[in-house]
Amino acid sequence: MLQLADLVVRLPDGRHAVDGVSLALEAGRCLVLLGESGCGKSLTALSLLRLLPEGVTIAGGQARLAEQDLFSLPERQMRGWRGGRLAMVFQEPMSSLNPVLTIAAQIEEALVAHGSSQTVASLLADVDLPPQHAQSYPFQLSGGQRQRALIAMMLAGEPEILIADEPTTALDVTVQAQILRLLRDLQAKRRMALLLITHDLGIAREMADTVAVLYAGQVVEEAPASALFACTARHPYTRALMQVTPSLGRRGQPLSSLPGSVPMAGDWPRGCRFAPRCGQVQPRCRELAPPLEHGVRCLFPLDQAVASPPSIAAQPLADATSTQGAPLLQVEDLCVHYPIRRGLWQRTVNWVRAVDGVSLHLNRGETLALVGESGCGKSSLARALLRLQPQATVRGRIRLHGEEVLNLRGADLHAFRSRAQIVFQDPFSSLNPRMRVGDILEEGLQALRPEMGPSARRQQIERMLNRVGLDASAMPRYPHAFSGGQRQRLAIARALCVEPQLLILDEPTSALDVSVQAQVLALLRALQDEHGLAYLFITHNLPLVGYFADRVVVMRGGKIVEAGATEIVMAAPKHPYTQALLASAPG
Amino acid sequence: MMGIQPTLLISDAVLFLLLAGVGVYVWRSRRSESARATWRRVFAARMGRWSAWVMAFFVSVGVFDSLHFRVAVETPAGQAQQYSGEVLSVLDTVLTPLRTASEKTYSAPLATTLLVKESVTLADGTVARLAPAIAHVHPLGTDKVGQDVLYLALKSVRTGLLIGTLTTLVMLPLACALGIAAGYWGGRVDDAIQYLYTTLNSIPGVLLIAAAVLVVDVQIDAHGEWFNSAAARADLRLLALCAILGLTGWTGLARLLRAETLKLRELDYIQAARAFGVSHGRILARHVLPNVAHLVIITVVLDFSGLVLAEAVLSYVGAGVDPATPSFGNMINAARLELAREPVVWWPLATAFAFLFTLVLAANLFADAVRAAFDPRGAG
């Protein structure tokens, strides 16, 4: 139905971010555009709507829809086609909806714009949003409801093609599953073509009829999903992507490594763009740019039948779990309550019980996964463990090494801080953009190890940088000069500088590409083996838990609903909530 | 050879202290490779270089105008040397031809006659109305009392710079300390500070400033013995005005900084610093302040022109600088009557406008170049 041919997208500085992408969309089918960050997948989608950011231009190619080239339509006509024939659902539903208009008003606006005969009520029914939400404002809805409202708006013009750019990345797993199901149902019912953009192999496997894998601005492999996911990916990159994705089945095995990271737009190597990271690279690959032949862009495509599916039987990890004496961290009946203050004198009128009676323990050298959806209190718990909750009332007992953490004051609190550290989710906000890497790493040492001299500090910093795979040349540079994965390594090095025993990992890989995630996980595993670190691994990603954690604790509404060894919880969850979580995980 | 006596007004002392501070900063950054590289980037940009030259011109005018002295007067032998009551500056000596070449009243730029006609008794005894010839050529004309407008404008530079920098000096610590404290600690600290600036903002600014200036005026008038010259008196009034403008002018920037700090304090790198037990003072100095610096620079420079204009407004209600002090405010204020004349006297206003415009534009461009050079994303 829609034929995109040889799309080239040029950035303001003349580099090409998308370099000859061809795709075909068919009514009633779902094409998944799969790729890591920076491969050009979002720009491809935006080009179809001609909504590229300022300065970014379509430098070549055609997009034929009903014998018309979208790229040569006058803007006036294009405006009618946007939403009318092609519609797009964005990642962040909060910023896609106008906060001061009701849902009904916004859907109505779209209906009027397209002269549609549908009604607000029918559209809301189509997206399974109860009719009483029509008069709600966006902030009154949950993330999933907002995404439904947005989809309803997009359906107002009865589009033939629906483009969804990471529509569920900002949502919890259970909600994500619902939205994906909704998209699939709508697509079938309305005979739309669906172009779904994602970085998540699980989502691709669940949704796609056809998958196009994008790498460095080019389609490197295009194949029917059924063929691709039967583990017969023929391009080394696709194969590697599948092998670096953690899962319960790969427990105990190292993830195969995909070195380096996706090259920046325009910084592409000569010859095959994947050659520098490819395991099967041959001399010719570095010279000759391979064409896309039989759905794969590789001079030496892999055989279809080689790979055998990984063994599914979960193996217990190396026996680090066996408890030697008392646990390192023991939490008993911990409550973190935030006061809600009102009025002139800020009287406390109520409490938000973010964490409400949580007990857990963690041994040396062990990884405990804390799983839960947003708002379940897992981050509050992490901050309370580190005594970073000045605004909240924290009750209960936290013992690290038998020491009552909640009673620590002054010098003792300082000593505690060097024993427990944290790595945050977003490596872009966790490093001060105006400090040099050397200063960032030195900060903890200056505060916690005042007895160390400048040269000793420098040695320690260099040692840690080397340990995380960087070197001393990083020290005079600013964080923005590093990629996401490198920044996360810096954040890990910063925490390790003060030689902690407990490391709280707050979604440490969820902002990273899968290939980089595998590298960071391997690093964390090696560090744990070396130093006997205990990890409290906070995440919402269940396959990752299955791969990485020894034990798992599932949290909901500030309480623990299920706890146990990972193999057992993942294989036979007892609590209905854990079962729902597992059932929702894509893939 | 007549002797001179160097005279140090309070504002001179403050200005030189400020220059010394800049000097120390320059000396220290010369020793640091990264700071040198950053400043090289400022001057490598064409805008940065040009605006720096213009700023340097204005600043040196201001500095030369701050080297004050009094000239010795004839004293009978045997008595202690007496000095004139008039305080002059090095700039005045440089501009002596302009300073002393005064006319009776208005004359247009480069005119040969005064603007107004007078009844003149000619040699043959008849009385004619004509514009008398003037003694000197004035490139930018003369004002009501016949003073050269170029000289006035150059003298006004010091007043403008002082009002801009000294007010900022008073305002900046207040705005930074209170705004960042409110955002960083929140809770009751925030409530108290918000209460303070909301109250301050709800009082009409001009009223508050005028009242404060009048109070200071009364004090100054009551203590004539504090001053040994009219210049010292005018100088104290200028300083008082700066202090008052600063004490009332911090609210806007404080509000901006509070909002930005509220956002920053939740960021992970500040949480990480707290997890390291870094003290609040250090977090504020290393993590918060550098990340709000761009707001401070932009606001301060934009406020600069506002302050000079505030001085004009205050002169209008009689609460500005001393009427004898040359200032852009006084020049603009006088234009109220001059523009209503026929023919229109436009040159004092046009000169004040051109000088102010150049000064503020150069300050803006220079600040922009500095901000860009200190942004690590541009450093590569």
Side-chain angles (χ1 to χ4, degrees), chain A residues 101-112:
Chain A
L101 292 180
T102 60
I103 299 302
Q106 300 190 47
I107 297 177
E108 188 67 47
E109 192 181 10
L111 285 173
V112 171

Side-chain angles (χ1 to χ4, degrees), chain A residues 111 150 186 205 240 266 269 317 367 422 489 521:
Chain A
L111 285 173
L150 188 65
L186 287 170
R205 188 195 299 250
L317 291 175
T367 303
I422 183 164
R489 286 162 191 273
L521 288 178

Side-chain angles (χ1 to χ4, degrees), chain A residues 137 204 293 321 412 469 507 519 552:
Chain A
Y137 289 92
E293 274 175 349
T321 26
D412 293 335
E507 310 244 11
Q519 298 163 10
V552 57

Side-chain angles (χ1 to χ4, degrees), chain A residues 185-354:
Chain A
D185 294 348
L186 287 170
Q187 176 203 11
K189 204 161 86 186
R190 296 184 168 235
R191 299 284 302 153
M192 289 186 296
L194 180 62
L195 176 62
L196 181 71
I197 294 169
T198 185
H199 64 278
D200 188 324
L201 277 167
I203 292 179
R205 188 195 299 250
E206 206 160 84
M207 297 289 290
D209 294 308
T210 313
V211 177
V213 182
L214 224 58
Y215 185 82
Q218 290 179 327
V219 174
V220 292
E221 180 159 12
E222 186 168 4
S226 51
L228 198 72
F229 287 108
C231 229
T232 55
R234 299 181 61 219
H235 195 282
Y237 174 64
T238 321
R239 188 73 64 86
L241 266 190
M242 292 180 174
Q243 284 168 355
V244 296
T245 307
S247 68
L248 186 61
R250 293 218 176 75
R251 211 172 151 70
Q253 312 160 4
L255 295 174
S256 63
S257 73
L258 188 52
S261 55
V262 184
M264 298 279 287
D267 260 356
W268 293 319
R270 210 157 63 91
C272 174
R273 291 179 182 178
F274 184 60
R277 302 176 73 193
C278 184
Q280 281 91 21
V281 65
Q282 313 264 349
R284 264 182 72 200
C285 296
R286 300 191 193 278
E287 301 297 321
L288 217 68
L292 187 65
E293 274 175 349
H294 309 296
V296 55
R297 190 186 291 275
C298 184
L299 294 171
F300 308 99
L302 301 167
D303 272 346
Q304 296 218 320
V306 167
S308 62
S311 57
I312 296 300
Q315 307 158 349
L317 291 175
D319 202 26
T321 26
S322 64
T323 46
Q324 318 91 324
L328 175 71
L329 173 76
Q330 188 139 29
V331 178
E332 281 168 32
D333 209 19
L334 186 75
C335 297
V336 183
H337 293 178
Y338 293 93
I340 303 172
R341 296 180 201 276
R342 291 266 163 72
L344 185 61
W345 305 110
Q346 300 283 301
R347 273 181 316 119
T348 303
V349 292
N350 208 342
W351 298 87
V352 176
R353 294 181 163 76

